[in-house]
Amino acid sequence: MNLNISLFVPELFLVSSAILLILLDLFLPSRGKNGLFSTITFAVTCVAVVLVALYSPFSPQEAFNGFIKKDLLSALAQLLILFTLLLTVLVSYDYIEKFPTGYVGEFYYTLIFAALGGMLMVEANELATLFVSLEVMSISIYILMALFRGDYRGKEAALKYFILGSIGAAVIAYGFAVLYGITGSTLYPEVSSSLNSNFSVAALIGIALVLSGFLFKVGAVPFHGWMPDAYHGAPTPVTLFMGASVKVAVFVALLKLFFPVFLPAFERWDEAVLIFGLVSALFGAFAALEQENFKRMLAYSSISHAGVILTAVATLPALAVYSVFFYLFAYTFMTIAAFGIISLLTVKGFKGENLTEWRGLYGRSPFLALLSVVIFMALAGIPPLLGFWAKFYVLVALIKAGKVLPAVIVMLASLISLGFYLKPIVFAFMKEGREEGVPVGFSSYVAVFISSFILIILGLFPEVVSQASLVSLASFIKGTM
């Protein structure tokens, strides 16, 4: 039996830490719990980052008899998820200070479980492992959305996200069941081998079901349903975490499943992925134009970004892994910064969610107004920020794959997005508003500043992310041979 436990050290550490936090939560009084739990969670995440770096194999390795396969693509995705967790903890500390909840301990250790689910998803090499880890992440996020007492908007968001997520999970489970029935195995290599030797209509139905379930999870059109309501209603730190980490986990898991296992049927599903991607990119951009609420605008924007990433997935096997990872890297920090600045500005009487509340922000807090320029221009894909390079490499991947018209449509969606990303900047710099300063929390400020700094520096030196994407691509390809 090949357990190879050493590959699983970071995950075991996170599980043990979360369980210790549960026990600690039973005995500690409520007073001061936010500071203590946020500090412990931050420290635990830092240690987990070091462990992932130390225990990541340069050559792909398997654990638990092939149920888990870790390569540099999964390791880098895990680091992105953990970095999202770190910055979410910083933003959450200030948010909970402003909006107290009776479930402080629950909030922090549920965040750890959500990150753990995402980390397991990106290293899954077996259908049941992928499904269980997907649900660990999803259920943790449903709980996080509903943890603030008296926040009925959050509870409504949790219910809607739960219904959406449940439908997606059921569809994926049906797809996996069909594939297991055809191939007699749930391990990726054995499913792939069986499909290579005998591909049938039933296999295509199974792939279609799995693809539909994943589209539910990333909120692509026409499966976006209540996604904007969920983003709008959830507490802002939770929206930040799920906006960034869920996309990283789901898209990397999608690549690791579809590339080695479903590649024999590539010509049958790539056009469908491309069409879903293009429709999502355009629909999200047009719908966001009409929004006056920032969180809803960013929700529709996330649908548009999911569409752009899907178009990159449809270029398999050429530059898909490279361009998808680059885009996910940039999107993670853009999402953290965007939702982080909303959370940072949220105080009593100034929620920062509506456009009108951004009137005269430059006069009240010039540095935050300038940071907002960096964040929204990065999301729009304006050079030299990191968001520009993310879109650039997706366009290169599409053109290299001979998909010129889809590349033009992605560019059109990016141009439309300028219309809504410019709105907050216009309100912040050109509209008169209140003159009093904006009180901000230090830890949220640090999170937004770090994310914005990365968008600028790595935009000036994109070769750093480019090299990381190439290394992850090489490691992933080596693992599929």
Side-chain angles (χ1 to χ4, degrees):
M1 181 177 283
N2 175 27
L3 291 181
N4 205 359
I5 293 287
S6 64
L7 277 186
F8 218 57
V9 169
E11 292 82 353
L12 289 174
F13 172 74
L14 279 177
V15 171
S16 309
S17 303
I19 292 171
L20 285 174
L21 280 177
I22 291 172
L23 296 174
L24 195 62
D25 189 36
L26 295 174
F27 301 104
L28 285 179
S30 299
R31 194 173 179 183
K33 201 180 267 189
N34 186 28
L36 179 64
F37 273 74
S38 59
T39 305
I40 295 174
T41 308
F42 190 86
V44 164
T45 312
C46 287
V47 174
V49 167
V50 174
L51 291 175
V52 169
L54 286 177
Y55 287 92
S56 295
F58 284 99
S59 297
Q61 288 186 25
E62 294 184 352
F64 296 96
N65 289 329
F67 279 43
I68 294 289
K69 180 188 277 185
K70 191 172 270 188
D71 51 31
L72 288 181
L73 175 63
S74 56
L76 289 171
Q78 288 181 337
L79 288 176
L80 272 183
I81 292 168
L82 286 173
F83 206 80
T84 305
L85 176 59
L86 270 180
L87 298 183
T88 303
V89 170
L90 289 178
V91 173
S92 299
Y93 171 77
D94 277 338
Y95 192 86
I96 292 175
E97 288 292 303
K98 294 173 196 169
F99 304 99
T101 171
Y103 303 104
V104 174
E106 290 87 342
F107 183 86
Y108 286 106
Y109 59 70
T110 308
L111 265 179
I112 294 177
F113 280 120
L116 177 70
M119 289 173 67
L120 291 172
M121 277 180 71
V122 299
E123 61 188 7
N125 194 42
E126 192 262 346
L127 300 178
T129 306
L130 174 59
F131 184 78
V132 171
S133 52
L134 175 65
E135 287 310 287
V136 168
M137 185 179 211
S138 301
I139 292 169
S140 301
I141 290 174
Y142 307 147
I143 295 168
L144 285 167
M145 283 177 155
L147 274 183
F148 284 78
R149 189 176 291 163
D151 181 9
Y152 294 106
R153 202 175 69 173
K155 288 172 175 55
E156 182 189 346
L159 178 62
K160 288 180 174 177
Y161 197 60
F162 170 72
I163 293 170
L164 267 180
S166 301
I167 295 170
V171 173
I172 291 174
Y174 286 137
F176 285 172
V178 170
L179 292 172
Y180 175 70
I182 295 167
T183 62
S185 176
T186 55
L187 283 164
Y188 287 3
E190 293 181 14
V191 174
S192 173
S193 174
S194 179
L195 292 181
N196 267 322
S197 60
N198 184 24
F199 193 83
S200 62
V201 175
L204 193 59
I205 292 171
I207 293 172
L209 287 170
V210 174
L211 177 62
S212 303
F214 273 98
L215 293 178
F216 261 109
K217 291 294 181 183
V218 297
V221 176
F223 306 105
H224 60 290
W226 286 323
M227 188 64 75
D229 293 342
Y231 268 60
H232 183 201
T236 307
V238 180
T239 315
L240 181 162
F241 181 80
M242 73 179 192
S245 62
V246 170
K247 279 202 172 43
V248 172
V250 171
F251 274 111
V252 172
L254 188 74
L255 282 175
K256 294 194 75 171
L257 175 64
F258 272 59
F259 186 35
V261 181
F262 298 152
L263 201 57
F266 179 64
E267 292 178 356
R268 296 177 176 87
W269 57 261
D270 72 317
E271 291 299 327
V273 171
L274 187 63
I275 291 168
F276 282 124
L278 293 175
V279 172
S280 299
L282 284 175
F283 172 82
F286 276 117
L289 274 176
E290 300 176 357
Q291 305 305 315
E292 295 295 321
N293 180 284
F294 267 124
K295 289 174 79 175
R296 293 189 74 82
M297 184 194 86
L298 289 173
Y300 282 108
S301 157
S302 83
I303 292 170
S304 184
H305 283 285
V308 175
I309 302 172
L310 278 173
T311 62
V313 172
T315 63
L316 273 175
L319 288 172
V321 177
Y322 172 86
S323 54
V324 168
F325 182 79
F326 197 111
Y327 204 101
L328 288 173
F329 188 97
Y331 184 74
T332 297
F333 291 102
M334 292 189 293
T335 303
I336 293 170
F339 283 107
I341 200 167
I342 292 175
S343 179
L344 190 153
L345 292 171
T346 302
V347 291
K348 192 174 182 181
F350 187 94
K351 290 193 173 181
E353 288 187 16
N354 296 315
L355 271 175
T356 52
E357 292 174 316
W358 280 55
R359 285 176 175 272
L361 180 64
Y362 179 70
R364 287 177 283 154
S365 181
F367 190 64
L368 283 180
L370 289 172
L371 282 183
S372 72
V373 174
V374 172
I375 295 164
F376 290 113
M377 289 301 94
L379 281 163
I382 301 297
L385 299 166
L386 192 58
F388 163 75
W389 294 106
K391 291 190 178 179
F392 175 77
Y393 285 122
V394 170
L395 293 176
V396 169
L398 284 168
I399 292 168
K400 286 266 186 187
K403 301 177 190 300
V404 177
L405 181 60
V408 172
I409 295 173
V410 168
M411 285 181 67
L412 179 64
S414 297
L415 285 174
I416 295 166
S417 72
L418 261 179
F420 56 84
Y421 288 132
L422 280 173
K423 277 185 182 177
I425 297 170
V426 169
F427 272 76
F429 284 85
M430 300 179 187
K431 303 278 186 185
E432 290 186 2
R434 295 179 301 181
E435 293 183 354
E436 67 270 26
V438 179
V440 295
F442 177 73
S443 61
S444 297
Y445 197 91
V446 170
V448 173
F449 178 75
I450 289 173
S451 307
S452 306
F453 184 73
I454 288 172
L455 294 177
I456 297 171
I457 293 300
L458 294 185
L460 293 172
F461 303 100
E463 57 271 17
V464 176
V465 188
S466 185
Q467 285 299 319
S469 304
L470 281 174
V471 167
S472 63
L473 169 65
S475 177
F476 175 58
I477 298 289
K478 192 175 179 182
T480 60
M481 292 178 176

